[in-house]
Amino acid sequence: MTSTPAPVSVALLTLGCARNDVDSEELAGRLAADGFALVDDPEDADTVVVNTCGFVDAAKKDSIDTLLAAADLKESGRPQAVVAVGCLAERYGEELATSLPEADAVLGFDDYQDISGRLRSILAGEKPHPHTPRDRRLLLPISPAERQAVAAPADGPEVAIPGRAALRKRLDGGPMAPLKLASGCDRRCTFCAIPMFRGSFISRRPSDVLQEAAWLAEQGARELFLVSENSTSYGKDLGDLGLLETLLPELAAIEGVERVRVSYLQPAETRPGLVRAIATTPGVAPYFDLSFQHASATVLRRMRRFGDPESFLGLLDQVRALAPEAGVRSNVIVGFPGETEEEFQTLCDFLVAARMDVTGVFGYSDEDGTEAESFDGKLDEDEIHARVQHLNDLVSELTAERAEERIGSTVEVLVEELDPDDTGDGTVEGRAAQQGPEVDGSTRVLGVPDARVGDLVRAVVVASDGVDLIAEPAGGNS
C-alpha cells in the first residue's frame, strides 16, 4: 500500500499595513485550495513566503531583515526556499533579487494568480526570472470612468475578483478582519511612491465587498476594518462618489457584524455626507483616520496636497458636532524639503488645536522615483531628527491629555485578549470605537470574568495611561 505524500507546507510572514494582511489571506486561500498546508512557524515550512512592505525606509529594512532571517533557516531547518512577494518585491524586482541572493525568488503582483505553480517550480529547483517593475498607473486608462470597461491587468491583489471570499483564508482568528474596499491611488503626492507600484485607483464592486463581509462574519469577525489607499475615492470609477455612504449601513446590517470602521480618509475629499455617514450610522465606528500630512498651506502645496489649519479644523468641527466622542487619528511628515521653522510651527500649533487621539510622526526621507526626490531645500538629517523628536514629545503630551479627557465616558470595547497579565483577575483588553487596530492604543476593562474574545463590553473609563484607557464594566455585554 503506497502512502500519500505529505502536502507541501508554507508559512506566510506579513509585514506592513492591513492591505497586506488581506493580500496574504488571499494568497493563503489560493495555496490552501491547491493542496498546500499552511503553517504558522517558518521553521515547520517547506517554503517561506514573505509579504514585504516597501513604504518607507524602516519598513523596507524590516522586510529585508525578515527575508534574511527566513533564509538562515534553510541552513539549519526544514525550509527549502524563501520567496519575496508584496510591495518591496513589486517595487524593486530585479534590483532586490540581485542585492538579496539569499531569497530564492522575487515575485510581483502578477504572479499571485498562479502562486501555487510558482512555489512548486521554485521547490523543484527552478529559478524564475525576477519580477520586472513597471509603473502600474500606466496599465489602466487615466479616466476613472473608463476603467470598468477594460480588462484589468492580471487579477492580482489590485483587482476585484468575483467570489474572492472563497479564495481567502483567514490567518488571524481574531474578532477584527480587514476588508479591502479598493486598491491603488490616483493622487500624485510628491513624496509618495505607492501609486507607481500599486497602480491607479480601482474600487471593488459593492456586491463583492458585501459578499466578502458576510463570509468574514461567518468566520467570526465582529469588526470589519475597511482598507484602501484612499477610501474617500471609493465609487468614483463606478460612477457614484457617494457609494461609500450607501455601503456603510449595508455592511453594518450584516448578521454577526457589530462594528464597521473606515480607514484612510483624504481630508480634501472628505465630503459632509461621508462625515455624517461615519459619525451617525448605527454600527459604524465614529472614527476618522484623516491623512493630514502637514498643516502649512505652503508645505501642502509642495506635497501636491490641499488644505490649511482653518479648513482642517473646520472639518474636525463638523465631525465633533455630529459625534462629540469621535476618534480622530492622523499622520504627519516633518522636515519636508523647504520646510521653514515658521511652517513647522504652524504644524505644531495645528496639532495643539486639533486635539486628536493619535498622531503618527514621520521624518521626511527621499523615496525612489518621487517628485520630491529632486526638490531643492533638503533639510539636514540632524535637523529633521530634532524636529521629529520635538513633535513626538508634543504629540505624546497632547494624546495623553486627550485620553484623560475621556475619563468618565462610556465606551464599548471589542474584547481581543483575556487576562493579558495572566493574573486571573478577569481583566480583558481590546479597543473602544475610537481606537483603530494596532496603532491607536487599547482599553483594559477590569473585572469581566465571563467575557470571551469577540464580546462587546460596555464600560466606563476610569483612568488613562498615555493613549491607553482603563475602564470598569457598566453592564450590557454582548
Side-chain angles (χ1 to χ4, degrees):
M1 181 176 180
T2 59
S3 60
T4 303
V8 176
S9 59
V10 57
L12 277 159
L13 307 181
T14 307
L15 295 99
C17 64
R19 295 181 290 277
N20 261 15
D21 291 335
V22 177
D23 290 350
S24 285
E25 293 194 348
E26 290 176 354
L27 290 172
R30 291 181 182 276
L31 291 166
D34 286 338
F36 280 75
L38 300 169
V39 297
D40 294 328
D41 192 336
E43 293 187 4
D44 298 329
D46 296 311
T47 184
V48 181
V49 176
V50 180
N51 190 353
T52 61
C53 178
F55 180 44
V56 294
D57 285 345
K60 296 173 191 174
K61 182 179 184 303
D62 287 345
S63 295
I64 291 171
D65 288 346
T66 302
L67 285 163
L68 289 172
D72 286 344
L73 296 176
K74 292 191 296 181
E75 302 299 323
S76 57
R78 175 172 177 171
Q80 302 168 45
V82 173
V83 178
V85 299
C87 292
L88 190 70
E90 173 69 29
R91 184 175 180 184
Y92 292 103
E94 295 169 298
E95 181 182 345
L96 179 63
T98 300
S99 62
L100 197 72
E102 292 86 351
D104 296 278
V106 175
L107 305 180
F109 292 153
D110 291 341
D111 293 302
Y112 285 18
Q113 187 175 12
D114 187 28
I115 187 65
S116 300
R118 299 290 189 272
L119 293 191
R120 286 196 172 96
S121 68
I122 292 164
L123 287 168
E126 296 181 23
K127 187 74 172 178
H129 189 277
H131 158 69
T132 301
R134 52 184 170 169
D135 189 339
R136 298 190 73 88
R137 293 172 297 185
L138 305 178
L139 301 180
L140 290 171
I142 293 175
S143 170
E146 298 174 0
R147 288 179 194 157
Q148 295 300 321
V150 299
D155 59 348
E158 311 86 350
V159 181
I161 305 171
R164 69 188 282 170
L167 289 175
R168 179 174 175 181
K169 181 177 178 61
R170 293 211 65 193
L171 297 174
D172 180 354
M176 184 283 298
L179 174 59
K180 193 178 292 185
L181 276 177
S183 287
C185 184
D186 287 336
R187 302 191 68 88
R188 294 296 181 265
C189 301
T190 58
F191 57 84
C192 183
I194 288 175
M196 286 185 284
F197 56 86
R198 276 290 185 180
S200 296
F201 187 87
I202 304 176
S203 300
R204 294 184 65 199
R205 293 191 180 277
S207 58
D208 293 333
V209 176
L210 289 166
Q211 177 191 12
E212 187 165 335
W215 178 82
L216 288 168
E218 291 172 359
Q219 305 303 305
R222 305 291 303 279
E223 177 177 313
L224 301 178
F225 186 41
L226 306 185
V227 298
S228 73
E229 277 73 27
N230 180 6
S231 297
T232 39
S233 284
Y234 180 71
K236 72 176 185 179
D237 50 330
L238 300 176
D240 185 359
L241 193 53
L243 200 55
L244 185 54
E245 290 95 305
T246 304
L247 183 61
L248 286 174
E250 294 185 67
L251 288 167
I254 292 172
E255 184 177 357
V257 173
E258 297 288 349
R259 180 186 290 164
V260 178
R261 185 183 304 275
V262 184
S263 72
Y264 209 84
L265 304 172
Q266 166 60 242
E269 298 179 24
T270 305
R271 51 206 173 270
L274 182 57
V275 171
R276 180 172 296 278
I278 295 174
T280 66
T281 301
V284 175
Y287 173 82
F288 291 81
D289 176 13
L290 294 161
S291 176
F292 289 124
Q293 301 299 352
H294 211 279
S296 164
T298 48
V299 173
L300 287 166
R301 280 197 293 271
R302 293 198 296 276
M303 290 179 168
R304 210 181 295 283
R305 295 174 71 88
F306 304 95
D308 52 45
E310 291 73 25
S311 64
F312 290 165
L313 292 173
L315 176 58
L316 293 177
D317 286 344
Q318 289 180 44
V319 167
R320 288 164 176 155
L322 293 167
E325 298 298 323
V328 181
R329 84 168 324 272
S330 191
N331 293 312
V332 296
I333 296 174
V334 176
F336 192 76
E339 182 190 64
T340 65
E341 291 186 6
E342 181 180 2
E343 290 167 334
F344 177 65
Q345 187 60 48
T346 296
L347 174 58
C348 295
D349 293 343
F350 165 71
L351 294 178
V352 171
R355 296 172 45 249
M356 291 189 285
D357 293 272
V358 176
T359 303
V361 180
F362 295 88
Y364 173 82
S365 62
D366 285 336
E367 284 295 314
D368 296 336
T370 60
E371 188 176 347
E373 187 182 21
S374 64
F375 282 4
D376 295 330
K378 300 286 176 62
L379 274 66
D380 182 86
E381 286 189 13
D382 290 342
E383 178 61 26
I384 293 176
H385 177 77
R387 293 186 185 187
V388 168
Q389 185 61 53
H390 176 86
L391 203 60
N392 271 326
D393 291 344
L394 175 63
V395 162
S396 294
E397 180 181 341
L398 294 172
T399 52
E401 290 175 357
R402 180 62 178 145
E404 286 180 11
E405 292 175 5
R406 294 192 179 276
I407 294 175
S409 65
T410 301
V411 294
E412 283 196 329
V413 179
L414 179 69
V415 176
E416 295 180 311
E417 185 178 0
L418 305 178
D419 198 13
D421 298 320
D422 198 26
T423 59
D425 61 359
T427 296
V428 300
E429 188 163 356
R431 293 176 294 105
Q434 74 271 13
Q435 295 170 320
E438 298 183 0
V439 293
D440 291 349
S442 63
T443 299
R444 289 195 171 203
V445 186
L446 310 176
V448 196
D450 298 325
R452 298 167 299 174
V453 170
D455 283 349
L456 275 181
V457 175
R458 191 166 177 267
V460 176
V461 180
V462 297
S464 63
D465 181 10
V467 298
D468 298 324
L469 303 177
I470 300 168
E472 296 178 347
N477 293 3
S478 63

